[in-house]
Amino acid sequence: MTCDEARFVKTALSLFCVTAFCLASPAMAQEESLSSAAENSVPNEQLRKELAVLQSNPDEASDSCVNAMKELHATQAKIAEIEDKSTSPDMTVAKDVLESDFESAIEMCGPDARRVCSSESHPSDKLAKACAVLKADSD
């Protein structure tokens, strides 16, 4: 990845964070769908908290975090396609990949979020709240 690409991806992280978890898929409306279940999962909630912190300063997201988010988003897109073919045998594999992608994104983005929280001497109200939520879960 070139420096320009990395800068673009990091700058777009705030928008990406919002869209990565809000796939505009008809399958999202079904309670029993895989992507809907992932939306309500504990790892998804943890990742949302980390990304809420990183949205305040997208440049603080490491390349590994950005890449993990790209992988997660790609898996979510594949799942949306698979869900349209509800008889697909790939759903079990897709579920395992999605769980792994969430864990990887949490592992890659968590340290970045905690670094932002510990380094901001005068955080905005939004960032302070996001850091407080993130810290409360790690205690």
Side-chain angles (χ1 to χ4, degrees):
M1 181 182 305
T2 68
C3 290
D4 288 336
E5 288 173 329
R7 211 172 312 127
F8 172 77
V9 170
K10 286 183 179 184
T11 303
L13 183 62
S14 59
L15 177 60
F16 180 72
C17 292
V18 174
T19 60
F21 298 107
C22 300
L23 290 175
S25 164
M28 292 298 290
Q30 301 172 359
E31 282 188 13
E32 66 276 354
S33 73
L34 175 59
S35 54
S36 293
E39 282 286 312
N40 298 319
S41 70
V42 172
N44 182 50
E45 288 303 312
Q46 177 64 30
L47 186 56
R48 283 181 194 244
K49 292 170 188 171
E50 293 170 356
L51 294 179
V53 170
L54 291 175
Q55 283 180 319
S56 68
N57 192 348
D59 289 337
E60 291 297 321
S62 65
D63 288 343
S64 58
C65 174
V66 172
N67 290 334
M69 289 304 303
K70 287 166 79 175
E71 288 293 320
L72 176 61
H73 189 34
T75 300
Q76 288 176 319
K78 288 176 188 171
I79 287 172
E81 289 176 24
I82 292 170
E83 285 178 337
D84 289 340
K85 304 170 193 166
S86 60
T87 59
S88 175
D90 296 333
M91 289 301 285
T92 303
V93 173
K95 180 180 177 183
D96 291 342
V97 171
L98 184 62
E99 287 175 15
S100 177
D101 285 350
F102 269 110
E103 290 170 9
S104 179
I106 289 167
E107 186 178 314
M108 296 299 129
C109 298
D112 297 340
R114 287 186 289 281
R115 185 180 62 249
V116 167
C117 288
S118 65
S119 67
E120 291 286 327
S121 56
H122 300 291
S124 66
D125 290 341
K126 185 178 178 181
L127 177 58
K129 183 178 178 180
C131 288
V133 170
L134 183 63
K135 186 178 185 323
D137 285 344
S138 62
D139 289 340

